[in-house]
Amino acid sequence: MRAFTYERAKDVDAAVAAAQNPGARFIAGGTNLLDLMKVEVEKPAHLIDVSRLPLKDIVDAADGGLTIGAMVTNTDLAADKRVIERYPILTRAIVNGASAQLRNQASTGGNLLQRTRCPYFYDVSKPCNKRAPGSGCSALQGINRMNAVLGGSDACIAVHPSDMAVAMMALDARIETKGGAKGGRTLPIAELYRLPERTPERETNLEPGELITSVILPPAPPGRQTYRKVRDRASYAFALVSVAAILDIDDERKVRGARLALGGVGTVPWRARDAEQGMSGAVVGDKTFQAAGEVAVAGAQGHGGNDFKIPLARRTIARAFTDLTAKA
Ligand SMILES: Cc1cc2nc3c(=O)[nH]c(=O)nc-3n(C[C@H](O)[C@H](O)[C@H](O)COP(=O)(O)OP(=O)(O)OC[C@H]3O[C@@H](n4cnc5c(N)ncnc54)[C@H](O)[C@@H]3O)c2cc1C
Ligand code: SF4
């Protein structure tokens, strides 16, 4: 690990000001950043500890939504009664990720900004455009079983690993920030993440030194919610495919509204809007749900080792919506 300096920010303004230092990085729970520093993938010169900032509350919003402080731990967010009742998709996504110890330490902001688990990103002896721009992508012709089938480019096919972000994508969360050129802003979560294209090293639209201060959840959408995660073992494993599904049906069992987001398959947490629109007004059942699965992965591209994710995603989508109907 390289030497670095450290300071604990006393408030948000101080954190944002300190982030102007060259090579400065925020550290929250540290469960991802420290691992990357140990293998010298991340080499910050200065760490700004934001974990004790007063951003640990979950507050009711006037419109019926929730505002979640960026330092709320994954455990506290998943266990919040309002989240369990109104956004069960979020609780399910969180508790399906990592381990209890990690969730106790990991923060809301850090979870959204965790970096890919592509093995070549961690292996500094191998080419990786995300870690070393212009060096090449080892995964394209290499071991790519865990890599993306949606949103990839010739430069990178790394999966975004967060489960929480997939649920927040389905819930149309908004991200609040401080710092950066505008001093702070609110942006939809869909605009937080960037496709890799030619610059996979830039994963988000945040500016250097821009701090996530909170996540806003709009009022819960009507209908039932579920999060289904398929992985190599029952716990403590990243998704091969995950599905965040919300389904609202009328008395004639027709779809009034559907939302669908995917994890484990996309270079960003993936919202499948075409599939959602295709379901509108359709009678619920196998035909509708299988069609949704087809549409959701219509543009998918496998790279050999990860080809299996395409049919797996189709089936997992159909299964998630079937579960929601069965419970109705
Ligand atoms: C063994 C293991 C298994 C895991 N399994 C899963 C899994 O199945 N599903 C899953 O979703 N996750 C999984 N994780 C990842 C885990 O959820 C993340 O490591 C964690 O959520 C990151 O949060 P943190 O607060 O520790 O972030 P940190 O490590 O502190 O920071 C991560 C990044 O975010 C930046 N950052 C942090 N907070 C802010 C902020 N407020 N504003 C701006 N930038 C910020 C940091 O600079 C850093 O770049 C796993 C991790 C491990 C080690
Ligand atoms: S997929 Fe992305 S992270 Fe993985 S080796 Fe290629 S460039 Fe690096």
Side-chain angles (χ1 to χ4, degrees):
M1 193 189 264
R2 304 259 177 115
F4 58 88
T5 51
Y6 169 92
E7 72 177 278
R8 185 177 292 156
K10 68 175 184 349
D11 56 35
V12 168
D13 289 343
V16 168
Q20 300 308 312
N21 292 318
R25 290 291 293 275
F26 299 123
I27 185 164
T31 61
N32 187 224
L33 183 58
L34 281 177
D35 281 355
L36 290 165
M37 287 171 66
K38 286 178 201 163
V39 290
E40 298 196 355
V41 172
E42 299 265 23
K43 293 173 269 194
H46 184 63
L47 284 185
I48 305 156
D49 185 345
V50 292
S51 65
R52 300 188 195 194
L53 292 180
L55 301 170
K56 295 189 175 179
D57 293 326
I58 304 174
V59 179
D60 280 301
D63 66 357
L66 285 181
T67 300
I68 303 158
M71 296 307 139
V72 173
T73 66
N74 292 183
T75 297
D76 287 347
L77 182 55
D80 187 277
K81 200 162 172 283
R82 294 159 295 180
V83 175
I84 293 170
E85 284 172 3
R86 280 141 59 182
Y87 308 97
I89 201 173
L90 184 54
T91 292
R92 285 187 63 131
I94 294 169
V95 299
N96 271 287
S99 64
Q101 292 96 330
L102 284 160
R103 295 193 297 268
N104 288 343
Q105 178 71 10
S107 66
T108 301
N111 188 309
L112 295 177
L113 298 180
Q114 63 176 290
R115 306 204 68 190
T116 186
R117 312 304 287 203
C118 176
Y120 300 109
F121 180 65
Y122 279 74
D123 182 350
V124 292
S125 71
K126 299 286 191 309
C128 170
N129 287 322
K130 190 184 278 297
R131 173 173 34 76
S135 62
C137 172
S138 299
L140 279 168
Q141 306 300 328
I143 297 168
N144 52 39
R145 183 171 178 275
M146 297 299 289
N147 287 71
V149 293
L150 289 165
S153 70
D154 290 346
C156 182
I157 52 168
V159 157
H160 192 281
S162 169
D163 286 293
M164 175 191 287
V166 177
M168 286 186 173
M169 195 68 84
L171 293 168
D172 284 333
R174 299 192 304 280
I175 310 297
E176 283 194 313
T177 74
K178 278 279 163 60
K182 297 193 179 87
R185 55 184 165 153
T186 304
L187 71 164
I189 189 168
E191 292 174 20
L192 174 66
Y193 296 108
R194 292 167 63 98
L195 292 171
E197 298 177 337
R198 305 305 309 159
T199 53
E201 70 278 12
R202 281 200 65 197
E203 293 168 349
T204 73
N205 287 313
L206 295 184
E207 295 172 12
E210 194 170 357
L211 178 76
I212 295 180
T213 51
S214 60
V215 175
I216 300 169
L217 295 183
R224 292 168 183 266
Q225 310 176 10
T226 194
Y227 188 80
R228 177 171 276 269
K229 179 173 176 179
V230 182
R231 47 190 157 168
D232 281 328
R233 52 177 186 252
S235 76
Y236 207 31
F238 287 91
L240 295 167
V241 172
S242 70
V243 172
I246 303 176
L247 185 65
D248 182 31
I249 60 178
D250 65 18
D251 293 342
E252 296 175 338
R253 297 184 67 76
K254 287 184 179 161
V255 177
R256 206 156 31 200
R259 295 194 193 182
L260 175 61
L262 306 176
V265 289
T267 52
V268 296
W270 197 265
R271 184 81 181 258
R273 290 192 188 273
D274 287 351
E276 295 173 1
Q277 281 157 17
M279 291 173 74
S280 182
V283 177
V284 298
D286 290 350
K287 203 170 143 207
T288 297
F289 301 150
Q290 284 163 9
E294 294 288 341
V295 174
V297 296
Q301 189 190 352
H303 302 275
N306 63 356
D307 290 348
F308 74 97
K309 285 190 175 184
I310 301 171
L312 183 61
R314 282 193 204 107
R315 289 197 293 271
T316 311
I317 291 165
R319 177 62 194 267
F321 281 120
T322 303
D323 286 353
L324 289 173
T325 320
K327 285 181 199 157

